[in-house]
């Protein structure tokens, strides 16, 4: 179930962003420090689409290119893949798994792109700048922590074919984890904690 959730990627976030009712009080929708609200919904959505796409591409390159070549210095990527195939570990399945994982984030990117072009109207009406920014934070958490699932098959194939360890050799993995931890902290203290606090004039 965990692997399935990670493979679905941005689909649950896209559905939640479209369907969850928006906060009725405009004051409650304000962002702090307010950057998304100042630059506007469309610009925020455009930055979000580009940012999520870039992070997914970074993770895919880390799994398929940078990490294999870092584990096996002196070998070109084509040589690594050829040796894997010759040793009974064809890389096609591992590459396909990464492509499927990356495609799982396409629905969220498509929603962001639609908001950037059309604005928050119709089916997109619930996606104001605040919600787009929150979805990006959650996407960073999902991509950063979930890239291990996408790279599991490649890591195992490399380990079986060359006797390497399963840990990352390239620094890209640490970059992704650091970004995910930072975004997770934002999610907890920016989204989670305020939900537990009473609103002004409301008693608990």
């Amino acid at each position: 179930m965990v692997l399935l959730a990670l493979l679905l990627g941005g689909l649950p976030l896209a559905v939640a962003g479209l369907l969850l009712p928006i906060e009725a009080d405009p004051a409650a929708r304000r962002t702090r420090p307010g950057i998304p609200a100042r630059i506007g919904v469309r610009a925020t959505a455009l930055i979000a689409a580009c940012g999520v796409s870039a992070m997914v591409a970074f993770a895919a390159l880390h799994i398929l290119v940078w990490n294999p070549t870092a584990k096996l210095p002196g070998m070109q990527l084509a040589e690594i893949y050829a040796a894997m195939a010759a040793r009974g570990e064809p890389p096609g399945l591992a590459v396909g798994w990464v492509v499927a994982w990356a495609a799982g984030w396409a629905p969220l990117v498509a929603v962001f792109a639609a908001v950037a072009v059309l604005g928050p109207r119709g089916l997109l009406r619930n996606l104001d700048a605040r919600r787009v920014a929150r979805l990006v934070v959650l996407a960073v958490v999902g991509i950063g922590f979930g890239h291990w699932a996408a790279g599991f098959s490649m890591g195992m194939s490399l380990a079986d074919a060359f006797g390497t360890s399963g840990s990352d050799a390239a620094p890209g993995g640490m970059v992704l984890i650091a970004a995910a931890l930072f975004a997770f902290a934002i999610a907890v203290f920016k989204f989670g904690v305020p939900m537990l606090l009473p609103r002004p004039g409301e008693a608990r």
Side-chain angles (χ1 to χ4, degrees):
M1 291 299 294
V2 173
L3 290 176
L4 178 60
L6 293 173
L7 184 61
L8 289 175
L11 180 60
L13 292 180
V15 172
L18 292 170
L19 300 183
L20 287 179
I22 197 170
E23 175 64 57
D25 182 7
R29 297 201 304 266
R30 291 174 184 163
T31 59
R32 292 189 178 91
I35 295 173
R38 287 202 296 270
I39 67 176
V41 179
R42 290 188 175 186
T44 301
L46 178 60
I47 294 171
C50 295
V52 172
S53 299
M55 189 169 183
V56 171
F58 182 93
L61 287 171
H62 166 71
I63 295 167
L64 299 177
V65 179
W66 300 328
N67 204 46
T69 53
K71 282 178 176 288
L72 300 161
M75 294 184 68
Q76 298 296 319
L77 185 65
E79 295 174 338
I80 295 172
Y81 281 10
M84 288 171 63
R87 298 175 185 182
E89 298 291 339
L93 179 61
V95 172
W97 185 257
V98 174
V99 170
W101 172 81
W105 290 98
L108 184 62
V109 173
V111 167
F112 288 153
V115 174
V117 173
L118 302 174
R121 63 178 67 179
L123 185 62
L124 307 171
R125 61 188 177 277
N126 292 330
L127 287 152
D128 60 358
R130 176 176 179 264
R131 175 162 291 184
V132 170
R134 290 186 170 204
L135 288 174
V136 171
V137 171
L138 295 177
V140 171
V141 174
I143 297 167
F145 287 142
H147 83 279
W148 70 266
F152 181 79
S153 180
M154 177 60 74
M156 290 298 296
S157 294
L158 286 169
D160 292 341
F162 298 99
T164 61
S165 68
S167 60
D168 283 336
M174 292 301 299
V175 172
L176 290 166
I177 293 297
L181 287 171
F182 181 69
F184 182 75
I186 292 175
V188 170
F189 292 104
K190 177 73 174 177
F191 314 153
V193 173
M195 291 176 63
L196 303 176
L197 300 177
R199 296 180 181 179
E202 180 183 34
R204 288 281 182 177

